[in-house]
């Protein structure tokens, strides 16, 4: 199965740091032309048993102004009392095209196609440059 969180579920890491950060039906939009923002996007899990939930997680980003922008995001798995694992990726988004940042178990020490460890507590933090938006964060799970 799959689960999707719209970009509107993301939250600013430092509230009030960018007055042009907008939360809309189309996602979280950094409408500033000068100020980047850090946002954290949780990925909701509908699985109520086990901790290794997702096999794939991907985030969809767009350019608002059509120009080229680099977007860097860090995915985190684990709990406070377990070992937290991090994986950072960067993509370039431009024009009207979607760019996708994707993670599998291989990004956290497992094997691609396997379950991502402790992924029932999964979030992605992104440095959202000016004039970019996060449409959604998605997860594929198998049980």
């Amino acid at each position: 199965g799959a689960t999707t969180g719209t970009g509107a579920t993301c939250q600013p890491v430092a509230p009030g740091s960018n007055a042009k950060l907008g939360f809309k039906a189309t996602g979280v939009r950094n409408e500033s032309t000068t100020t980047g923002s850090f946002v954290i996007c949780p990925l909701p899990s509908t699985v109520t048993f086990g901790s290794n939930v997702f096999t794939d997680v991907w985030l969809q980003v767009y350019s608002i102004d059509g120009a080229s922008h680099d977007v860097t995001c860090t995915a985190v798995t684990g709990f406070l009392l377990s070992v937290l694992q991090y994986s950072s990726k960067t993509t370039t988004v431009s024009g009207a095209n979607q760019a996708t940042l994707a993670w599998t178990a291989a990004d956290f020490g497992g094997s691609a196609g396997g379950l991502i460890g402790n992924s029932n507590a999964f979030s992605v933090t992104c440095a959202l440059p000016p004039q970019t938006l996060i449409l959604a964060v998605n997860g594929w799970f198998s049980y």
Side-chain angles (χ1 to χ4, degrees):
T3 187
T4 297
T6 70
T9 64
C10 302
Q11 295 292 317
V13 173
S17 60
N18 181 359
K20 298 278 188 178
L21 196 61
F23 299 88
K24 302 188 174 166
T26 54
V28 58
R29 301 167 57 95
N30 186 354
E31 296 173 348
S32 172
T33 56
T34 58
T35 304
S37 286
F38 285 94
V39 295
I40 185 166
C41 306
L43 182 60
S45 169
T46 58
V47 177
T48 57
F49 58 91
S51 59
N52 304 332
V53 175
F54 296 108
T55 57
D56 300 272
V57 174
W58 64 100
L59 190 106
Q60 298 163 266
V61 295
Y62 287 86
S63 171
I64 296 172
D65 61 4
S68 178
H69 303 281
D70 289 338
V71 179
T72 299
C73 298
T74 301
V76 182
T77 66
F79 300 98
L80 182 60
L81 300 177
S82 70
V83 176
L84 296 173
Q85 291 187 290
Y86 302 86
S87 175
S88 293
K89 298 196 175 196
T90 300
T91 190
T92 302
V93 62
S94 62
N97 298 321
Q98 167 187 304
T100 302
L101 291 152
W103 291 268
T104 69
D107 295 304
F108 301 97
S111 298
L115 296 172
I116 300 171
N118 292 318
S119 56
N120 62 338
F122 198 101
S123 67
V124 182
T125 300
C126 296
L128 198 57
Q131 296 293 296
T132 58
L133 74 85
I134 297 171
L135 177 70
V137 58
N138 310 280
W140 183 259
F141 57 88
S142 176
Y143 60 86

